[in-house]
Amino acid sequence: MEYALDPGALALLGDLERAGYRAYLVGGCVRDLLRGERPHDWDICTSARPEEVLALFSGETVVPTGLRHGTVTVRLEHRPYEVTTFRVDGTYSDGRRPDAVRFTADLKEDLARRDFTINAMAMDAAGRLYDPFGGAEDLKRGLLRCVGDPSRRFQEDGLRILRGLRFAAVLGFSLEPETARSLRQTRDGLRRVAAERIQAELSRLLPGPAAGAVLRAFPEVFWVFWPELEPMKGFHQHSPWHSWDVWEHTLRALEAAPPDLALRLAALLHDVGKPACFTRDRSGNGHFYGHPARSASTAEEMLRRLRFDHALQARVVLLVERHHLDLPPQETLLRRRLRQLGPEVVFQLLALQRADTRGQAPEIAAPRLLELDRAEALARSILAQRPCLTLKDLAVNGRDVLALGAAPGPAVGRVLQSLLEQVSEGALPNEREALLSAARVRVTSPSDSG
C-alpha cells in the first residue's frame, strides 16, 4: 500500500539516511496513516544522536526542545518536526518523564518504551512498516493494548491512564482485558499528574464518539480528579420522568449532545448537584429543587480545579445554570432570549435541553423533543429576519439620546436599553424617527431625568 507521506518529513528522513543514519516516522502519524487519515503531526525517530541532528540541520531553524531526552525540533516551511534519538527510558520518579535515558542503536528497544502497541510502530521513507509488537493487528481489531507490562507503563506516567481512555473514546476502541485491569488498579497515579495535563486529555476525550461508553465503563478513573461525579452513580431519581439513575441519565445526555467540548462538559455536569438537592414528597416522588444553581456552582469549582480556559468555564457554567430555562416556540419570548443571551447561547441551550431530554424516559421525551425542534426552527426564522438584538443594531445611539436633553451617565443607557427591548420584541420599529420619538418621552419622564 502506498501512503501519502508529508514532503517535509520525507525530506528529513532522506537527509538523515544520506548522512548514514537510520530514520523512521514513528508513533501517532504511523497509526493515522494505517487508518487512512492524514496525520496532524509528523514525528521522527533516528539513530542519530541529538548533537548530530543539530549539526546536520544547522542550516534550518532547529530548537533543542529536549536534548536531555534526545529530542530536537526542526522547522521546515514554518512546520515543526520532532526528531528523537532511539532511546531506552530509565525510571520515572516524578511519574511523568524518565529520570535519565540511554541512547541506543536498536529501533525495537525504542519502540518497546512506548505506551500502546498502536503507537509503537515505525515506517521508513519507502512506506515499509516496522511493527514488532503487533500494533497493526490491534488497529484492525480496534484493540488498545499496552506495550509490555501495562502496570509498568501506567506507573511510569499516570497520564497514560487517561490517554488510553482518550484513545478509546476518540477511536471507539476497546481495551485489552489486562490493560483495562491495570488501568483501573493504577488509577491513583493520576493524583500525581498536573491539572493542565489532565485537562488537555479530557478536552480531547469528551468530544469523542465513544466518550459515553468510556465514562460508563471506567467511572472510577474520573472520580480520582472529579470526585463530585461519584454520588451520581446509582442515585435513583424516583421520578416518572426518569428511567435511569442520575449517572446513566447524564451519560445518555452526553452521548446525545453534539461533539462540542462546551456542550459535552455541560451535559456531563448539568446534574452534578442533584444528589445534594434530593427530596421526596408524600407520594414518594423525587424532587431536585435548586439543582441547576447547585450544579453550576459545583461545575465552576471542578472546571477551575483543572484550569480550563476562563471563557470556556464561564460558558459551561452558564449552560448548566440555565439548562432548565424556558425556551418555548413563542416568538416574543424567543426574541427576548436571543437579545438577553445571544444566538449562540440560545442554540447551545436548545442543544443541551435536547440532549437532556433524550436521557429521560422515552415515552415522556418524544413530545418535548418536538417542541424543542419547533423552538429552534422559530429561532432560526427570527434570525433570518436580521432582528435588532444589541445596542449596536439600534438606529439611534447615545449621542442622539444626549441631544434630546438626557443627563450624561446611566440615564442614557436606561433609555437605550428600553428602546432595544421594545424593538427586539416587535413593539417599536427600528427606525430613527420612531426611536427618537419614544426616547424623547423617556428623557422627559421624571424617572429618567438623571
Side-chain angles (χ1 to χ4, degrees), residues 389-408:
L389 299 176
T390 69
L391 293 177
K392 291 188 297 184
D393 300 328
L394 280 175
V396 296
N397 56 35
R399 290 189 298 275
D400 297 317
V401 176
L402 287 170
L404 294 174

Side-chain angles (χ1 to χ4, degrees), residues 30-160:
V30 178
R31 179 193 70 234
D32 291 344
L33 286 169
L34 294 183
R35 296 185 69 240
E37 296 186 356
R38 180 157 184 81
H40 298 292
D41 302 301
W42 297 84
D43 294 336
I44 293 169
C45 63
T46 178
S47 60
R49 298 297 178 96
E51 61 274 13
E52 294 170 330
V53 175
L54 288 169
L56 181 61
F57 297 108
S58 59
E60 308 292 344
T61 301
V62 184
V63 183
T65 43
L67 284 184
R68 186 163 156 255
H69 296 99
T71 301
V72 172
T73 299
V74 182
R75 296 189 70 88
L76 296 180
E77 300 294 327
H78 307 291
R79 182 168 190 167
Y81 300 84
E82 280 197 356
V83 182
T84 302
T85 303
F86 298 159
R87 76 183 201 210
V88 176
D89 292 345
T91 56
Y92 285 69
S93 62
D94 67 352
R96 178 179 181 182
R97 294 183 182 278
D99 299 324
V101 302
R102 173 175 61 82
F103 297 134
T104 177
D106 188 339
L107 172 63
K108 184 177 179 180
E109 280 191 310
D110 181 82
L111 297 177
R113 70 180 174 83
R114 297 174 184 267
D115 51 9
F116 304 104
T117 60
I118 62 171
N119 297 328
M121 297 180 285
M123 182 180 288
D124 66 16
R128 288 186 291 263
L129 185 68
Y130 296 81
D131 181 22
F133 303 106
E137 181 59 28
D138 286 345
L139 206 56
K140 289 179 184 176
R141 295 165 62 196
L143 190 68
L144 201 65
R145 180 166 57 92
C146 280
V147 177
D149 177 8
S151 291
R152 178 181 175 184
R153 292 283 87 87
F154 293 133
Q155 287 168 3
E156 287 172 341
D157 182 355
L159 190 66
R160 286 174 174 168

Side-chain angles (χ1 to χ4, degrees), residues 270-335:
H270 79 285
D271 280 351
V272 71
K274 266 190 170 182
C277 297
F278 179 67
T279 59
R280 293 180 77 172
D281 61 26
R282 291 180 179 178
S283 301
N285 291 320
H287 300 281
F288 301 93
Y289 300 118
H291 84 268
R294 181 66 173 262
S295 297
S297 63
T298 303
E300 186 173 22
E301 167 56 30
M302 294 167 70
L303 296 169
R304 186 188 302 119
R305 193 186 313 143
L306 291 190
R307 314 240 175 115
F308 276 91
D309 171 79
H310 291 301
L312 180 64
Q313 285 185 44
R315 176 57 57 87
V316 173
V317 170
L318 173 64
L319 294 174
V320 171
E321 187 174 36
R322 303 289 185 91
H323 77 270
H324 275 190
L325 184 68
D326 197 21
L327 292 169
Q330 298 173 9
E331 183 166 356
T332 299
L333 184 55
L334 279 180
R335 284 181 178 273

